[in-house]
Amino acid sequence: MSPFPERYTVAVVGAGAAGTLTAIHLCEMATRRRTPLDLVLIDPAPEAGRGTPYTTQDPGHRLNVPAGGMSCYPDDPGHFTRWLCSHGEPNATATDFATRYRFGAYLADTLAQAVVRAHGTVAVRHLNTRAEHVAGTPDGRVTVRLADGTRLDADTAVLATGPAAPTASWAPAELRAAARFIGEPWNTGALDGPRADDSDVLLVGTGLTSVDLTLTLERPGRTVHAVSRNGLLPQSHALTPAAPMPAPEGLYGTSFAQLRRTVYHHLARAVRLRGDWRPALDSLRPHTAHLWRRLSLEERAELLARDGALWNTHRHRMAPATGESVLRARTMRRLAVHAGSVTHAEVRDDGSLDVKLSGGRDLHVGWVIDCTGPGPTLDDPVWRSLLEAGAAVPGPLGMGVATVDGHLLDARGDTGLPLYTLGAPRRGELWETTAIPEIRVQAAALSQQLLAPLIPRRRTARRPLDGHGLALSTHAEAAAAYRTGLDRILKVRAGAEDSLRRAVALDPGFALGHAALALLGHECGAAVDVPRALAEAQRCAQERACERERSFVEVVTRRVHGDGGDAALAHHLDDHPADALALAVAVPTIAFSGVDDLDDDYALRLVERTSSAYDGHWFHTSLLAFLRQEQGRLDEAGELALRALAAEPASGHAVHALAHVHYETGAHGEGRDWLERWVAGRGRGAVHRAHFSWHIALHELALDDPAAVRKRWLTQLAPGRVTGVRALVDSGSLLWRARLSDSWRGDLPARDILDTVEAEILERPATAFTALHCAITLTAVGDLAALRRLRDHAAAADEVQREVIAPLCDALAALVEERFRDAARGLDALLPVLRRVGGSAAQREVVEETLLYVLTADGRCDAAARLLDARLERTQAPRDRRMRAGLVT
């Protein structure tokens, strides 16, 4: 039974950007919280999300904020960029300036996806009509009268009406009455007349609207005139964005005069030190609303009068490409910008206009277009009805309406009716409130504000458990799906991703499910939108999660961001030793990269310390077996692996440990045969089946059987059978090792492997372990440019990539350039620290084998012989004996 007597109804008046963002956040938050909701969008537009600014299909009309700042989600800034990449612009970056029409499509699509995900919890309707009157009801709700004569009753209403319509109050009466005066240029068909002839055009206003219309209307033989009081055009964004800089100290607790001086000194300092004022101005953005609120009305008015024009032209900037087009138009005299105002206008017999500007300049134009932007007051029917009834009052300095955190204040100064607004109507309260980066934050906060009272008081019930006795903050069905996914992760079997997706589909508010998906995408190459899954995990953890789950979300967040994830994981396991997923992440075996910035024995101590929480469970025994073989305690490792397999024959970790025991003891024939049988039987469902095939191939390589290696590669490890990160780690490294030991003759098909891997992984790998194998495969194809790009990424990434991967790339680049002495020096220096990248000794052995190759190529046979002798002392392999015999020392 629903905990509510009836479904709660929210009416959103306006389905442009502000209304759409509100609807998105309401849908997703209500779904996460399992809060039943009726959501009604009221807007005559056929499609939600477009609004006036984003209907233009002119490709020259671009956003004035780069894609990295235009996500619908404040906590997932890359969402719009990723949407562009998956919708026809695969090379889009966060610094690109997308077209306005594409952004409208993004808003509409994101809302559609939110509505689909909310099905069953949120019922969404779009009424294609206009709201004309809003009033309160006796029971404390609101009623909305619509243009089609119907009424809608709602528990609350959000007025997302956008900026006020232009009033053209600046225009002489003769001009406003003229047929060739266009007061609302973005209305459908409004620009058909100016497009159809070549007569000159006058744009009144020199802001971003004027810039867009200039791009649309300028052409050979026509002059576009633009006039405003100051004659200032918007500045352009930098072609190459500068690094951000912090805001200056002393912004708060000071006089208005001192504040102005601080800001101007900050801008001057940025120009002096950076050669660009933009980073300084952008650093003020998080502080602007707070500073505005601290000013008195008189100080706000002074700020607008003295600095408003300069602020607007520098703060609201053009895209670089737009700026270049405007500059070209001015250079070619197709755009003329004037400072002044329109003082008089006359209409000629042919409909054209003679316009006089202040200062005495006369213009003869075919059209005059109002580009002055929003009017000073909200004057549509909805706002008039509220202002006349005293349910709303004008905001400070007459800008917008008075609000408290978006809640409308009435004539008594109270938040009487359940009426809210966001965006432009809050200008008086916030000043800077018309751009997407501000509106999306308001939409998220408003959604939380509206839904907070609706969280039902649920009866205390026993929470479902995972497979190791830990409580889960979800319902039984989602918990069952999560347990299945966790079991598959611990066994290293396929299907974990599907089970976790089912868990979060059943309960979108399940933080642990989202976090586990983010982890699989980040460390295992699963097809997961990692930033999206991580953002969902963080939102859900704030709303509904226990301390353990919040701690695990923090662990995943830090690992994804490369920000102290290992230390966070260590603290988490100290507090929650029975968290099997966290333990699987910490121990570098086969599924995850493990810890790498703690001391070498930490993983072993961690497994030993948590043993009491598992009481001999096969999973814990499997991990201990793997770590024992890493210690060189091979007999003990083999016994532990067999014990785990007796309890759970499908345990991939135990199989992996036994594969290493066979390899490290030189039991290559036995290891090959045992593993071949397991892969054909229990291992058919292993998620890393290719890795077990790689282990078989390592035995075949050690047995000096090139024909078997080639057959194994073609049947089980070739691209198409293995893709993505697994192709790099297994297929790519195997080919390179085969080439190094002269076990692969002819062309090396490593380029085919790279073709299966996303460019993002190759050039910006998330982990040092993946980066190591990217470097190896790039070396195999001799791609020096890509190696250097990878090196640059590593140099700016986490500590392990900086200190291990960057010098590895330098050494491998030297190999490609046949500077073998430099390559040998670099590789030899890295051998002692290679454990930091994670993975197993057998995987990291590829660096030692590469060193052996460059020593031989450099003619340093004595050094190569010493290295081979050390390898043969560890374990006997026919391949190494053959190579040792071939050395002339």
Side-chain angles (χ1 to χ4, degrees):
M1 179 180 295
S2 171
F4 303 108
E6 58 184 26
R7 293 174 69 91
Y8 197 82
T9 300
V10 177
V12 179
V13 178
T20 298
L21 287 168
T22 301
I24 290 169
H25 285 279
L26 280 171
C27 281
E28 296 193 351
M29 192 172 293
T31 303
R32 288 195 301 272
R33 297 180 175 187
R34 289 178 268 167
T35 302
L37 185 69
D38 283 337
L39 178 60
V40 185
L41 292 171
I42 304 169
D43 195 300
E47 180 183 27
R50 289 290 179 189
T52 300
Y54 308 118
T55 55
T56 172
Q57 298 189 41
D58 190 326
H61 294 172
R62 296 193 170 270
L63 299 171
N64 66 314
V65 175
M70 294 295 287
S71 166
C72 290
Y73 305 100
D75 53 0
D76 185 7
H79 189 259
F80 178 45
T81 306
R82 299 196 305 277
W83 185 90
L84 288 171
C85 290
S86 62
H87 287 77
E89 300 181 38
N91 298 317
T93 69
T95 59
D96 291 346
F97 290 82
T99 64
R100 298 226 305 269
Y101 188 81
R102 291 285 280 164
F103 183 70
Y106 162 70
L107 285 175
D109 185 55
T110 305
L111 175 59
Q113 295 296 324
V115 171
V116 169
R117 289 192 296 270
H119 180 70
T121 303
V122 183
V124 181
R125 289 183 292 157
H126 181 189
L127 304 182
N128 292 109
T129 185
R130 191 180 302 279
E132 293 192 337
H133 186 278
V134 174
T137 63
D139 61 355
R141 303 173 78 217
V142 293
T143 183
V144 184
R145 190 175 70 224
L146 306 175
D148 60 9
T150 61
R151 289 180 180 272
L152 171 72
D153 291 332
D155 293 281
T156 190
V158 178
L159 306 179
T161 55
T167 62
S169 58
W170 55 267
E174 304 93 333
L175 182 57
R176 288 200 300 271
R180 294 197 176 191
F181 174 72
I182 301 173
E184 297 188 42
W186 297 120
N187 286 350
T188 302
L191 298 179
D192 290 349
R195 285 194 179 106
D197 67 48
D198 293 327
S199 60
D200 291 353
V201 175
L202 173 62
L203 308 178
V204 181
T206 56
L208 292 169
T209 297
S210 177
V211 167
D212 281 341
L213 294 190
T214 296
L215 299 184
T216 297
L217 299 175
E218 67 97 5
R219 67 184 68 164
R222 160 184 279 174
T223 300
V224 175
H225 297 274
V227 63
S228 67
R229 287 192 302 273
N230 49 59
L232 297 175
L233 288 170
Q235 296 289 312
S236 294
H237 284 276
L239 191 60
T240 302
M245 65 185 299
E249 296 181 358
L251 289 176
Y252 298 95
T254 186
S255 67
F256 173 57
Q258 181 59 45
L259 175 62
R260 290 186 75 252
R261 287 193 293 270
T262 299
V263 170
Y264 275 99
H265 288 163
H266 182 53
L267 294 169
R269 183 171 181 270
V271 172
R272 188 169 63 252
L273 298 180
R274 304 282 190 90
D276 190 356
W277 48 266
R278 295 172 182 84
L281 193 65
D282 293 343
S283 73
L284 300 173
R285 187 166 194 162
H287 304 274
T288 305
H290 301 291
L291 293 171
W292 175 259
R293 282 171 164 166
R294 296 171 68 94
L295 298 179
S296 67
L297 287 179
E298 293 75 14
E299 289 169 339
R300 295 181 189 181
E302 182 182 352
L303 174 64
L304 294 177
R306 295 180 63 180
D307 305 301
L310 275 176
W311 175 271
N312 287 331
T313 55
H314 288 74
R315 171 68 181 77
H316 303 289
R317 304 193 283 271
M318 296 183 281
T322 302
E324 291 177 5
S325 298
V326 169
L327 178 60
R328 184 167 56 250
R330 296 191 76 173
T331 302
M332 299 176 71
R333 300 182 183 276
R334 296 180 187 172
L335 170 63
V337 181
H338 313 285
S341 58
V342 175
T343 59
H344 183 71
E346 291 185 6
V347 182
R348 292 190 180 185
D349 292 341
D350 62 357
S352 62
L353 299 156
D354 289 319
V355 179
K356 184 179 289 293
L357 304 182
S358 58
R361 187 177 184 91
D362 295 325
L363 299 176
H364 176 67
V365 296
W367 305 84
V368 176
I369 305 177
D370 186 358
C371 300
T372 56
T377 58
L378 297 164
D379 195 38
D380 68 15
V382 165
W383 286 110
R384 280 201 304 273
S385 68
L386 292 170
L387 291 166
E388 290 170 0
V393 293
L397 302 179
M399 297 191 302
V401 292
T403 63
V404 174
D405 296 330
H407 199 160
L408 267 62
L409 292 175
D410 60 21
R412 296 173 298 177
D414 296 331
T415 53
L417 295 176
L419 293 171
Y420 299 82
T421 191
L422 74 166
R426 296 182 67 185
R427 283 189 65 227
E429 178 191 358
L430 303 174
W431 186 26
E432 286 284 302
T433 179
T434 58
I436 295 298
E438 283 75 36
I439 296 175
R440 68 187 181 190
V441 172
Q442 295 174 32
L446 183 57
S447 299
Q448 188 167 9
Q449 188 176 353
L450 294 179
L451 295 179
L454 306 184
I455 299 176
R457 292 185 177 180
R458 304 184 188 279
R459 290 176 298 176
T460 302
R462 186 175 180 179
R463 292 187 296 163
L465 306 178
D466 71 3
H468 297 266
L470 298 178
L472 300 173
S473 298
T474 186
H475 54 71
E477 194 174 1
Y482 177 80
R483 282 193 297 271
T484 300
L486 177 60
D487 184 65
R488 289 171 175 171
I489 290 174
L490 301 186
K491 290 177 180 175
V492 199
R493 297 188 71 76
E497 180 187 338
D498 292 339
S499 295
L500 293 173
R501 287 190 190 280
R502 175 168 171 76
V504 298
L506 290 167
D507 180 5
F510 185 23
L512 206 56
H514 290 295
L517 278 171
L519 193 65
L520 289 182
H522 176 256
E523 301 212 8
C524 304
V528 175
D529 185 341
V530 174
R532 172 75 174 170
L534 185 59
E536 290 285 3
Q538 292 166 338
R539 295 167 196 156
C540 298
Q542 291 175 357
E543 296 170 3
R544 172 166 52 88
C546 66
E547 188 278 330
R548 176 186 72 87
E549 292 165 324
R550 288 194 296 271
S551 174
F552 186 79
V553 169
E554 178 64 17
V555 166
V556 177
T557 300
R558 288 182 175 275
R559 287 182 75 86
V560 170
H561 293 160
D563 180 24
D566 289 348
L569 181 57
H571 290 311
H572 176 83
L573 282 165
D574 284 341
D575 294 335
H576 310 285
D579 192 333
L581 180 54
L583 187 61
V585 173
V587 180
T589 55
I590 184 173
F592 301 105
S593 59
V595 294
D596 55 44
D597 67 356
L598 302 172
D599 63 84
D600 290 345
D601 296 326
Y602 177 76
L604 177 61
R605 294 201 309 273
L606 185 61
V607 171
E608 291 174 338
R609 193 169 71 241
T610 57
S611 61
S612 61
Y614 292 89
D615 193 26
H617 191 276
W618 61 263
F619 165 66
H620 190 272
T621 304
S622 300
L623 297 186
L624 185 58
F626 189 86
L627 293 177
R628 289 290 186 238
Q629 65 82 25
E630 285 278 292
Q631 285 183 291
R633 296 162 61 171
L634 300 175
D635 290 342
E636 184 180 352
E639 291 175 6
L640 289 168
L642 291 172
R643 187 190 308 167
L645 287 168
E648 178 47 74
S651 173
H653 289 294
V655 172
H656 194 211
L658 195 57
H660 280 276
V661 169
H662 286 143
Y663 184 76
E664 299 297 339
T665 58
H668 297 300
E670 179 187 350
R672 175 197 59 197
D673 296 343
W674 185 91
L675 198 51
E676 186 108 65
R677 289 193 299 272
W678 186 85
V679 168
R682 292 279 187 176
R684 280 179 294 181
V687 68
H688 296 301
R689 195 162 182 246
H691 187 65
F692 294 118
S693 296
W694 174 82
H695 269 283
I696 300 172
L698 276 194
H699 287 307
E700 293 167 339
L701 201 58
L703 290 167
D704 214 15
D705 189 349
V709 171
R710 183 181 288 269
K711 181 180 179 182
R712 181 79 50 193
W713 193 87
L714 291 172
T715 58
Q716 297 176 10
L717 292 165
R721 301 181 183 278
V722 188
T723 59
V725 173
R726 199 78 258 171
L728 287 173
V729 172
D730 297 325
S731 308
S733 67
L734 177 69
L735 279 183
W736 181 239
R737 293 170 82 153
R739 167 57 58 86
L740 293 175
S741 61
D742 202 28
S743 299
W744 189 284
R745 301 293 176 85
D747 292 337
L748 200 69
R751 176 61 66 180
D752 297 339
I753 295 171
L754 295 178
D755 290 341
T756 73
V757 183
E758 295 180 13
E760 178 75 13
I761 294 174
L762 286 173
E763 299 195 1
R764 291 175 289 278
T767 67
F769 180 74
T770 301
L772 166 68
H773 289 87
C774 288
I776 291 297
T777 309
L778 291 171
T779 302
V781 300
D783 194 335
L784 193 60
L787 262 177
R788 287 174 174 155
R789 290 195 297 272
L790 178 60
R791 192 254 180 232
D792 291 342
H793 160 77
D798 59 80
E799 182 180 341
V800 181
Q801 293 209 48
R802 290 196 304 271
E803 297 180 2
V804 181
I805 300 303
L808 175 66
C809 289
D810 288 335
L812 293 176
L815 186 161
V816 173
E817 295 178 321
E818 299 186 357
R819 293 184 288 109
F820 298 120
R821 185 63 55 95
D822 293 338
R825 188 181 303 112
L827 294 172
D828 188 55
L830 288 172
L831 290 183
V833 298
L834 270 179
R835 288 192 65 170
R836 297 182 65 193
V837 305
S840 67
Q843 289 170 315
R844 298 188 298 268
E845 194 178 53
V846 67
V847 178
E848 182 183 74
E849 293 178 2
T850 305
L851 173 60
L852 179 61
Y853 172 82
V854 297
L855 288 172
T856 305
D858 194 39
R860 298 164 61 189
C861 293
D862 287 344
R866 287 194 297 273
L867 187 56
L868 272 171
D869 287 342
R871 287 167 62 89
L872 287 167
E873 188 175 339
R874 291 198 306 263
T875 178
Q876 290 293 311
R879 174 202 55 192
D880 287 355
R881 289 199 298 270
R882 185 253 301 167
M883 294 175 67
R884 179 65 179 86
L887 285 176
V888 179
T889 59

